[in-house]
């Protein structure tokens, strides 16, 4: 078995500044050894450790979709030591990627269902991966209705703005973009917090409808009762957690909630699973 | 019927000569006196294991999970082709034989194994180091008052986890190979004087029973499995359990079954290494998010994590008993006398108020 701590060497192929505050950047990586790409088989919802020699490693959700070949992309918020260093790196710099890690959204269960994606802030990364995956011509017919409720503080804080605008125009996906506030008179979409828009726009819950919810704790806290009211069962609400991580493979011991390791048994859990576990996230 | 394992007689007068012979092909590790304590260390030329001890202050976990260990090396020299690319460090752990490990400490490796050797991933550092040791265990006739191995899944003559069980007698040792590795070791030293069938077995059995009777302290675990995690987690007693804890982390460092670690990069000039170091759930930094949020920011949450992990999460996850072998180190060395036996009692007997 191979050393699970050894990152694949990658080259930064492109860096895109996503938000007006410049704190969020999307990094596109290409594998240095072409064989490594074949080994890196992932599904939407998984994450990887981005590894910078001398600085350390950070767990980041994979923002590219498995249907996009030839590269991996990650959107990184600048907060601490490793993320700040990453933001100072340039195209063509060499670093490492270790993964894929964790479980994905439960795609076998989601096939044939209505999917409601609810995202807030920069937790939209693996949701982007999921949307691109579902909209792929080979996959779209596997899903029924797709709704996306995506909110940011201001229009300038929305990630993937060009793509989101493209999705808005499509008939096979119902987009509900929202911002907390805006003074832009041309803003053509919703204004209001994600829970409010969810209440107004999300379809009612039933056996055939699953919600995937990712966002800051405050958004999750207020969205949950609304989904309850809309009739979503706890095992039809899917969430992705973040805890401090090091190993990413269930060995270093820090990311657990109860007996589950967020890195290995998660990061994707249903709300039903989480209600039986301590709220240590 | 499985062949009966024979006891081999090793005369004490040949002991040093025999170990000397072994030293040619193995690194020998054994207990030696240091200050008032006994520690395991590599036995140099002319040094022999000192079996006159109760238990060592530290367990042997560092042999397999060193306190600090190199994982990778890297160069930050831009003129080099492999700049910024992590390289595996050369690892060929020398085969070593440990003399005098207590059966509880050897059993601890088996409790830790399912963490590092899983169907999905293998930790190559742990696995190679564990594979390179042969454990010759010393049967334990003189327990401490804090020992509770018999209620923690093992015991003073426990064989699981050992390669050879060694029982001291007046002018000789009786040795029993438990594993193939153990047999191989006995052969390597030509330890092959079989005792008369039945006699040694009876004597050892009687000594085992007597040794087990000397263990007079216990942990209660029989109801842990059926308890509801959230009930135990929300139990009111944690406040009291955690009250005096100073979060020094000693309990976790001295524990043979605690395995948590951190990964850090260390750079000197243009080269460096990625290494792993022991870490502890007793420290707030263990779980601190970059945002400042901390799921276990309070002492009570960390103390609860330690006991819940050992006595509930592990029990539920691996179906392999508790994550404790009853060595008593955490009890003896805790500066404020926090006692896992008492906490086990609280957890095992807890009934949530309906
Ligand atoms: C499954 C998962 C997916 C994530 N996806 C994204 C994403 O798509 N985009 C994004 O910007 N951020 C994401 N995060 C959060 C991101 O990992 C942290 O912001 C990042 O580790 C901070 O590292 P730092 O070195 O800059 O901060 P420092 O505070 O300097 O942290 C030091 C080290 O602690 C660990 N650490 C600190 N905070 C966290 C945290 N919240 N989660 C995990 N480890 C942490 C890391 O090992 C880090 O290197 C994700 C976290 C997880 C667990
Ligand atoms: S040794 Fe005692 S005081 Fe120190 S962290 Fe452990 S329980 Fe707390
Ligand atoms: S928890 Fe305490 S008694 Fe149990 S194995 Fe660890 S140090 Fe020994
Ligand atoms: S990050 Fe190490 S156990 Fe989850």
């Amino acid at each position: 078995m191979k050393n699970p701590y050894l990152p694949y060497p990658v080259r930064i192929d492109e860096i895109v500044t996503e938000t007006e505050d410049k704190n969020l950047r999307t990094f596109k990586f290409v594998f240095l050894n072409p064989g490594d790409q074949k080994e890196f088989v992932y599904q939407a919802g998984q994450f990887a450790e981005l590894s910078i020699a001398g600085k350390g490693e950070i767990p980041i959700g994979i923002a590219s979709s498995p249907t996009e070949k030839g590269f991996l992309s990650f959107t990184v918020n600048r907060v601490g030591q490793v993320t700040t260093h990453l933001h100072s790196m340039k195209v063509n710099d060499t670093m490492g990627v270790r993964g894929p890690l964790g479980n994905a959204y439960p795609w076998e269960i989601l096939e044939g269902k209505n999917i409601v994606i609810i995202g807030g802030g920069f937790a939209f990364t693996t949701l982007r991966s999921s949307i691109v995956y579902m909209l792929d011509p080979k996959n779209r017919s596997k899903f029924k209705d797709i709704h996306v409720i995506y909110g940011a503080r201001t229009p300038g804080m929305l990630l993937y703005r060009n793509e989101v605008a493209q999705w808005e125009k499509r008939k096979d996906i119902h987009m509900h973009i929202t911002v907390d506030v805006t003074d832009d008179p041309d803003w053509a979409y919703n204004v209001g917090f994600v829970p409010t828009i969810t209440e107004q726009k999300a379809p009612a819950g039933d056996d055939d409808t699953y919600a995937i919810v990712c966002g800051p704790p405050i958004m999750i806290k207020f969205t949950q009762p609304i989904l309850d009211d809309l009739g979503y069962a706890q095992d039809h609400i899917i969430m992705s957690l973040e805890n401090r991580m090091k190993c990413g493979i269930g060995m270093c011991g820090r990311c657990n909630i109860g007996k589950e390791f967020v890195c290995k048994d998660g990061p994707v859990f249903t709300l039903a699973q989480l209600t039986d576990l301590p709220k240590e996230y | 019927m499985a062949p009966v394992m024979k006891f081999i007689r090793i005369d004490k007068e040949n002991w040093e000569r025999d170990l000397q012979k072994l030293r040619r092909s193995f690194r020998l590790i054994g207990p030696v006196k240091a200050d008032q304590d006994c520690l395991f260390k590599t036995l140099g030329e002319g040094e022999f294991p000192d079996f006159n001890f109760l238990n060592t202050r530290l367990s042997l976990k560092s042999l397999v999970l060193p306190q600090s260990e190199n994982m990778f090396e890297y160069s930050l020299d831009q003129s080099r082709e492999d700049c910024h690319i992590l390289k595996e460090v050369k690892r060929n752990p020398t085969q070593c034989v440990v003399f005098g490990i207590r059966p509880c400490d050897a059993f601890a490796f088996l409790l830790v194994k399912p963490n590092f050797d899983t169907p999905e991933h293998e930790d190559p550092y742990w696995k190679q180091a564990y594979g390179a040791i042969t454990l010759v265990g010393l049967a334990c006739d003189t327990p401490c008052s804090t020992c509770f191995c018999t209620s923690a899944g093992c015991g003073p003559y426990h064989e699981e986890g050992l390669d050879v069980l060694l029982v001291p007698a007046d002018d000789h040792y009786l040795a029993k190979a438990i594993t193939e590795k153990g047999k191989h070791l006995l052969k390597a030293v030509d330890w092959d004087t079989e005792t008369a069938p039945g006699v040694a077995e009876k004597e050892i059995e009687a000594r085992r029973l007597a040794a087990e009777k000397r263990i007079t302290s216990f942990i209660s675990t029989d109801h842990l499995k059926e308890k509801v995690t959230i009930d135990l987690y929300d139990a009111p007693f944690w406040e009291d359990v955690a009250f005096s804890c100073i979060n020094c982390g000693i309990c976790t460092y001295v524990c043979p079954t605690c395995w948590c670690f951190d990964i850090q990069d260390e750079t000197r000039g243009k080269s460096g290494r990625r290494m792993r170091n022991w870490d502890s759930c007793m420290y707030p930094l263990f779980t601190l998010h970059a945002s400042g949020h901390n799921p276990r920011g309070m002492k009570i949450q960390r103390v609860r994590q330690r006991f819940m992990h050992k006595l509930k999460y592990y029990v539920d996850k691996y179906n392999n008993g508790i994550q404790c072998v009853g060595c008593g180190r955490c009890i003896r060395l805790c500066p404020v006398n926090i006692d896992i036996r008492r906490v086990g009692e609280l957890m095992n007997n807890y009934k949530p108020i309906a």
Side-chain angles (χ1 to χ4, degrees), chain A residues 3-6 51 54-57 242-244 246 250-252 254 256 259 264-265 278 280-281, chain B residues 72 74 88 115 120 122-123 125 230 233 260-262 265 274 279 285-286 288-289 293 296 305 317:
Chain A
N3 187 334
Y5 299 100
L6 182 67
S51 174
K55 298 293 167 192
E57 293 188 321
E242 288 186 8
N243 258 1
R244 186 184 177 104
K246 284 289 170 164
M251 292 181 185
C252 78
R254 79 198 52 240
N256 74 298
K259 72 178 174 54
K264 186 178 174 186
D265 306 309
E280 289 191 344
Y281 46 88
Chain B
F72 302 106
Y74 53 79
E88 293 202 62
N115 186 64
E120 301 84 9
E122 287 172 0
D123 185 303
Y125 310 96
I230 289 290
Y233 185 87
C260 291
F261 60 88
D262 188 20
D265 289 5
R274 176 161 293 168
D279 205 343
L285 196 59
F286 193 58
L288 178 68
H289 293 200
H293 171 65
R296 292 199 285 265
Q305 160 66 16
K317 197 171 183 83

Side-chain angles (χ1 to χ4, degrees), chain B residues 240-256:
Chain B
D240 175 50
V241 168
F243 178 75
S244 58
C245 174
I246 55 171
N247 269 183
C248 64
I250 285 180
C251 50
T252 57
Y253 290 141
V254 299
C255 177

Side-chain angles (χ1 to χ4, degrees), chain B residues 145-158:
Chain B
S145 62
T146 43
C147 291
F148 56 99
C149 52
T150 51
S151 54
C154 57
Y157 279 60
H158 198 74

